[in-house]
Amino acid sequence: MNDFDFNLGLEMALTSSAYRAAGQKTLKVHGLNDITREQFNILLVLSLSDGLYQTQIANILGKDRPNITRMIDILETKGFIRREKDETNRRILKVFLTKLGCDKVEIAKPLKERMRSVQCKGMTKDEIITLVTLLRKVRKNIEEEYKINE
């Protein structure tokens, strides 16, 4: 490559770790102690497209089905979501936000915007576009090489 020595995987892992820690800390600081960042991500996905199958949620979030099922069980117990049988296939369940779940997403939306602002601090719009484009290329390369999502 060149004289610039780096470990891209390590850099991405450290960035991901910092992002996850900041997300969880942000929820706690704002009194959202009753939900984890990963559970909140399920609510966020449902707020964008309510009535998804558990498999769809797992694919969107890049998590395995047992993990998603466990988190959905917890969210249902807390009253943030509800499951309903699919009208076309009664063996399959769809997941929907409850009023309480919608309220939780609304409370946290400004926090998400703040996180975005912090992430992009000191970057120009062109740098952000370049960063996103490059990260998408990295993800696509990995998905193609390791046949992820096939």
Side-chain angles (χ1 to χ4, degrees), residues 29-72:
V29 164
H30 289 87
L32 300 171
N33 296 324
D34 57 345
I35 190 166
T36 67
R37 184 190 55 80
E38 290 199 337
Q39 291 167 359
F40 178 75
N41 285 340
I42 293 173
L43 300 184
L44 189 59
V45 165
L46 291 171
S47 75
L48 300 172
S49 183
D50 207 12
L52 294 174
Y53 301 112
Q54 289 181 196
T55 303
Q56 291 172 307
I57 297 169
N59 289 339
I60 290 167
L61 295 176
K63 302 287 181 190
D64 61 26
R65 284 190 52 205
N67 218 350
I68 291 295
T69 299
R70 182 182 48 77
M71 286 188 280
I72 286 174

Side-chain angles (χ1 to χ4, degrees), residues 114-131:
R114 179 170 178 246
M115 175 71 91
R116 174 182 258 176
S117 173
V118 168
Q119 291 167 346
C120 299
K121 187 167 64 176
M123 294 185 201
T124 66
K125 183 177 180 180
D126 287 342
E127 288 173 329
I128 295 166
I129 290 169
T130 299
L131 175 63

